[in-house]
Amino acid sequence: MTAGCRQAGVLPENFLPQPPELLGLQIRTLGYCCQLIGGVLVEQCPNRSEVGRRLLVVSAQFNHCRTVLRLFDDLAMFVYTKQYGLGTKEEDIFIRWLSVLSNVTDQLYYPCEHIAWAADAKVLRVDSAWWWTLNTALWTLSLLLGAVKALWTMLKLRQKLRSPTGTSASQLPRSKRRAMEARICSEVLTLLSNLADLANAVHWLPRGVLWAGRFPPWLVGLMGTISSILSTCQAVRAGRQAEADSP
C-alpha cells in the first residue's frame, strides 16, 4: 500500500474549510480520478495499459503530495480539539462523547502518519508498515464515528421536523425549517462521504479483515472520487452559507 493513499484530512465536518483544505480537496480529487481512469485502462483496455500505468503513477504522486501537506495539519486539529474540549456546550450527550472520541482519534492520526512517512523517507529507522497500519486503523475508527454521528444527527433533525416539541413542522419559522433541511442535506453528504472512504480504509487494513486488500485500483479510485466530490460539495455549500450569514 502506498504511503499517499490516505484521507485528505480528518478534520471534523463542521470545521469550515479554508484555502489550504480546499487545495487538499482539489489535489485529492485529481489523484483519485487519475487512479480511477488509470485502473480502468490497465484492466479493461490492453492497448491503453501504458497510459493507465502512467496515470496511476501520477495518482501516487498526488497522494504523496497530500501526505506532505498533512505535516502541517496537527496545529489546526489541536486548536479545534482544545476549543471543543469535553463538549460541555453540546446538547446531545451521545453526540458530545462521539465528538470527543473522534477528536482524540483524529489528533492521534496525524503523528502516526508523520512517523510512517518519515520511516518511508528513511528519516526514522522504524517499521513504517506498522505505523501505516496504526494510522489506517485510526482513520477507519474516525470515519466510523463520523458516519454514526452524521446518521444520528440526521435522524434527530428529521424527528424534529416531523414533530418538533409538540408543534407541527408547518408551524416552524420558514428560516428555521430551511436551516434544518440544509443541515440534514449536509449530514447526508457527510454520511455518504464517510462510507465511501470507509470502504477504502478497510481495504487498506491488513489482509483478513473484512474485504482488506481485495479492491482493484479502479474501485479504490471510484470510492475516493465519490468521497472527494461529496466533500467538495460540502465545502462549496459551507462557503456560500458563510457568505450568506456574514453582514
Side-chain angles (χ1 to χ4, degrees), residues 31-220:
Y32 277 122
C33 284
C34 287
Q35 186 169 5
L36 170 59
I37 298 171
V40 169
L41 291 178
V42 168
E43 289 197 17
Q44 305 296 330
C45 306
N47 58 326
R48 297 291 183 88
S49 60
E50 181 60 29
V51 176
R53 281 191 289 270
R54 291 180 182 181
L55 284 174
L56 291 178
V57 170
V58 172
S59 173
Q61 291 303 312
F62 274 129
N63 289 330
H64 180 70
C65 176
R66 287 169 36 230
T67 300
V68 174
L69 286 175
R70 283 195 295 272
L71 292 172
F72 306 96
D73 283 349
D74 301 73
L75 181 59
M77 188 66 234
F78 176 75
V79 171
Y80 179 85
T81 301
K82 185 178 179 181
Q83 288 177 346
Y84 190 84
L86 294 178
T88 53
K89 296 180 180 180
E90 194 74 62
E91 295 180 3
D92 191 315
I93 190 169
F94 183 63
I95 292 294
R96 172 186 176 183
W97 289 110
L98 270 180
S99 298
V100 170
L101 181 56
S102 179
N103 289 343
V104 172
T105 303
D106 294 347
Q107 195 69 63
L108 293 173
Y109 167 93
Y110 290 106
C112 288
E113 183 182 55
H114 302 340
I115 294 173
W117 167 82
D120 280 347
K122 308 301 181 184
V123 175
L124 296 178
R125 294 182 179 180
V126 296
D127 181 11
S128 66
W130 188 88
W131 286 99
W132 281 125
T133 299
L134 178 59
N135 171 260
T136 305
L138 288 170
W139 181 33
T140 302
L141 177 59
S142 175
L143 292 169
L144 188 59
L145 292 171
V148 172
K149 180 180 175 182
L151 180 60
W152 180 268
T153 303
M154 181 180 65
L155 293 176
K156 285 291 185 179
L157 287 171
R158 290 186 64 182
Q159 186 178 34
K160 287 182 180 180
L161 276 177
R162 290 176 179 176
S163 180
T165 59
T167 62
S168 65
S170 60
Q171 291 177 314
L172 283 173
R174 184 179 179 183
S175 59
K176 186 174 181 180
R177 188 168 65 252
R178 290 182 64 182
M180 291 176 68
E181 290 171 347
R183 178 74 186 280
I184 290 174
C185 182
S186 177
E187 296 300 336
V188 170
L189 291 177
T190 298
L191 177 61
L192 295 176
S193 176
N194 281 0
L195 291 178
D197 277 332
L198 185 60
N200 278 344
V202 173
H203 162 71
W204 283 317
L205 288 172
R207 285 184 176 273
V209 180
L210 299 175
W211 56 87
R214 299 181 184 178
F215 280 10
W218 69 265
L219 185 53
V220 173

Side-chain angles (χ1 to χ4, degrees), residues 206-238:
R207 285 184 176 273
V209 180
L210 299 175
W211 56 87
R214 299 181 184 178
F215 280 10
W218 69 265
L219 185 53
V220 173
L222 177 62
M223 292 294 102
T225 300
I226 291 173
S227 171
S228 299
I229 291 174
L230 292 173
S231 297
T232 301
C233 289
Q234 280 185 294
V236 171
R237 285 171 58 89

